[in-house]
Amino acid sequence: MKSHIIYLILTIIFSLLSVSFSLGEDKSNQIKEYTATIDQDGVQRVEIVGGGYYFDPNYITVKANVPVELTVTKEPGIVPHNIVMKSPETGIEFAKNLSIDPQIITFTPTKPGKYPIYCNKKLLFFENHSEKGMKGTLEVLE
Ligand SMILES: [Cu+2]
């Protein structure tokens, strides 16, 4: 009876681990750069896709003091993702759950620098998505 319980627990742990690894196909070590251009209406538009466990692009360059419009979407799948930036020093602070339908985030960065973009979702006791590679950088130029 006792060995049945141990077997059951091991099976559950093993399934959780394999689910985690199969979902965790690693795209994190690829740098995908995108430099925004300023549209005729004076807006810098960037499209970002988030998934397991990456953002594409994950190194985005924009100009300071020019409005930015991010269009964010999620790859199809059951794993929830978000996109978070907490850089109030440059006027950017948001956290948005991603969905397959495009959503728009707007801000105007005021201070040049490099600012982190990340997903802070996590499954149970596993590391969060940012630690799995779901992160990027917004570089704001003068
Ligand atoms: Cu995520």
Side-chain angles (χ1 to χ4, degrees):
M1 189 60 201
K2 208 171 184 181
S3 67
H4 276 92
I5 292 171
I6 290 170
Y7 178 76
L8 187 67
I9 290 171
L10 285 176
T11 307
I12 289 169
I13 289 173
F14 184 75
S15 338
L16 283 173
L17 283 175
S18 47
V19 164
S20 165
F21 286 126
S22 64
L23 294 175
E25 183 195 338
D26 193 6
K27 301 180 186 175
S28 59
N29 48 13
Q30 301 169 11
I31 294 178
K32 298 205 171 177
E33 293 187 47
Y34 181 78
T35 300
T37 53
I38 303 174
D39 288 349
Q40 283 192 341
D41 58 357
V43 177
Q44 312 180 83
R45 291 188 170 81
V46 183
E47 293 182 11
I48 304 177
V49 180
Y53 293 91
Y54 66 92
F55 285 112
D56 184 7
N58 58 13
Y59 197 103
I60 297 154
T61 305
V62 297
K63 265 190 172 325
N65 300 309
V66 177
V68 175
E69 187 182 293
L70 303 182
T71 301
V72 296
T73 52
K74 186 174 90 70
E75 70 172 12
I78 55 161
V79 181
H81 294 293
N82 64 10
I83 183 167
V84 181
M85 286 193 74
K86 297 268 181 237
S87 301
E89 67 274 29
T90 191
I92 308 174
E93 202 162 14
F94 62 81
K96 203 166 209 48
N97 285 321
L98 298 179
S99 72
I100 291 170
D101 299 321
Q103 301 178 88
I104 289 176
I105 299 164
T106 55
F107 54 81
T108 302
T110 52
K111 189 172 168 244
K114 291 180 184 177
Y115 304 99
I117 303 169
Y118 55 94
C119 169
N120 66 11
K121 299 280 183 188
K122 73 194 293 279
L123 174 66
L124 303 175
F125 48 85
F126 294 105
E127 55 190 355
N128 69 42
H129 293 185
S130 171
E131 289 164 318
K132 287 170 177 276
M134 197 168 178
K135 61 187 172 189
T137 301
L138 180 78
E139 181 168 6
V140 178
L141 301 176
E142 287 275 349

